[in-house]
Amino acid sequence: MKTRLPLPSRLLLGALAGLMAASCSAPRAIVATGKVTPQGEFRVAYNQGFNIASAPLSKATSALKDAASQAVGKDTVGYGGSVKNLQAAALAYILDPVQPTADLSIRYGIVPRLDAGYKYAFGSHVFDAQYQFLGPVGSVENPGRGAASGTTYASIGLQFATQRAKLPSLPFLSDINSLLNLRASRNDLLIPVIFSQSFGPEEEIGAISYGVVYAHSWVTYGFAPSKIYGSNNQVVSALPTTSRNFSSFGGFVNLKLGYRYFYVIPAVSLFYQNYGDYALLNGASTSLSGLTVVPSLGFQFRIPTAASRR
């Protein structure tokens, strides 16, 4: 007879499986509401999502996968259109990977209307703050004046993430990296403007949130191949470290559901970005643009303290 694990254990195992699958990508799922963490209160959360970007998906053709597999098994590879396409695919996955994402976070209410937090996205370190410019600033235990179900809250956030970028752990991308020896790092800035309507006073049973997002990313990358040869039968020179930056624009909606201490937060964000032009080996270049959808599911715990109850 099989023993069924209790729900908390199943949730924990599911979370651990998600962490094992996730790569280091700066989180772009917006799971916050317009109400910031009340002063003196902590919030701990786990979020699991998936980054679905059109640019790398359009590059990952079966022909490209076959070219990567064939090239990695050769002692020498001639520079041509397939090598250029492999570089474009590698950059597309570095700029906006198709992969699971996960993060653990903690937030604290510093003063009324301002909180700050830290997220660890399993390779990406994220620091953020949020300022509330509309709505009462009380807590579930001590509601502010005017707090009621349907109250509108609004805030603006600032998130900064830094990481060493790497290709997701997919077989054909490993072949590409073996051929091109790609090295990259990136920094990401995210500015969401969030509006929400409360379910219950001070979001006691949750909220619905929506808004717009501006993001800016700085990417540094380079290629150092050892077996790609040009038309002069010489090894193609490495591409020195090159820096580029680009902006993203998007919107989001999320739903926070629970009661007092524990909440489930399904969310979806949509971004558009023109990544711009990127230098490649042998004097070539490529340009990239595309849409990105980020669905996610989060779990949040409130930890009120004596200070937040006053």
Side-chain angles (χ1 to χ4, degrees):
M1 179 177 177
K2 293 179 68 175
T3 301
R4 186 174 176 81
L5 291 172
L7 179 60
S9 297
R10 298 201 304 273
L11 288 174
L12 179 59
L13 289 174
L16 290 174
L19 300 186
M20 293 172 65
S23 298
C24 54
S25 177
R28 291 202 291 175
I30 309 299
V31 295
T33 70
K35 178 178 175 59
V36 303
T37 309
Q39 182 179 11
E41 182 175 300
F42 286 93
R43 292 182 184 178
V44 178
Y46 167 75
N47 197 58
Q48 176 74 55
F50 204 97
N51 201 78
I52 307 169
S54 65
L57 286 174
S58 68
K59 301 294 182 182
T61 63
S62 58
L64 184 78
K65 295 177 182 178
D66 290 342
S69 178
Q70 293 169 13
V72 78
K74 296 180 179 179
D75 293 330
T76 62
V77 178
Y79 191 93
S82 62
V83 173
K84 179 180 177 180
N85 291 338
L86 291 173
Q87 294 172 80
L91 283 172
Y93 272 91
I94 286 293
L95 296 173
D96 208 352
V98 177
Q99 64 175 15
T101 63
D103 63 79
L104 288 168
S105 65
I106 184 168
R107 303 191 66 78
Y108 179 72
I110 302 172
V111 295
R113 300 191 181 278
L114 179 68
D115 70 1
Y118 169 77
K119 296 178 185 177
Y120 180 61
F122 304 91
S124 179
H125 299 280
V126 185
F127 306 89
D128 70 306
Q130 191 172 326
Y131 173 75
Q132 181 182 323
F133 57 84
L134 181 65
V137 294
S139 65
V140 171
E141 290 77 16
N142 185 22
R145 180 177 297 180
S149 187
T151 298
T152 298
Y153 297 85
S155 62
I156 185 169
L158 181 66
Q159 173 181 295
F160 177 76
T162 182
Q163 63 180 312
R164 289 185 60 187
K166 64 179 182 179
L167 294 173
S169 299
L170 298 174
F172 86 98
L173 291 176
S174 297
D175 291 341
I176 291 176
N177 203 40
S178 297
L179 179 67
L180 299 175
N181 193 22
L182 170 63
R183 296 293 180 268
S185 63
R186 66 182 296 165
N187 296 313
D188 297 273
L189 186 69
L190 193 73
I191 304 175
V193 179
I194 308 167
F195 298 89
S196 64
Q197 270 74 51
S198 175
F199 299 156
E202 303 288 13
E203 300 183 354
E204 182 178 26
I205 57 176
I208 183 170
S209 303
Y210 48 89
V212 294
V213 190
Y214 169 76
H216 201 88
S217 302
W218 294 263
V219 180
T220 300
Y221 72 97
F223 297 109
S226 59
K227 62 178 183 178
I228 298 177
Y229 286 75
S231 57
N232 57 359
N233 292 323
Q234 299 293 318
V235 175
V236 171
S237 299
L239 179 71
T241 299
T242 303
S243 297
R244 296 287 294 144
N245 67 87
F246 62 92
S247 295
S248 304
F249 305 89
F252 67 90
V253 62
N254 71 57
L255 191 61
K256 176 181 176 181
L257 297 171
Y259 182 69
R260 294 184 72 90
Y261 302 111
F262 175 74
Y263 300 89
V264 178
I265 308 175
V268 63
S269 302
L270 176 67
F271 293 89
Y272 169 77
Q273 48 270 312
N274 182 348
Y275 307 101
D277 298 322
Y278 291 80
L280 304 177
L281 295 168
N282 215 30
S285 65
T286 188
S287 60
L288 298 163
S289 63
L291 292 170
T292 305
V293 180
V294 188
S296 68
L297 181 64
F299 305 92
Q300 183 187 98
F301 297 87
R302 286 182 60 246
I303 307 176
T305 63
S308 66
R309 295 174 186 274
R310 291 198 295 267

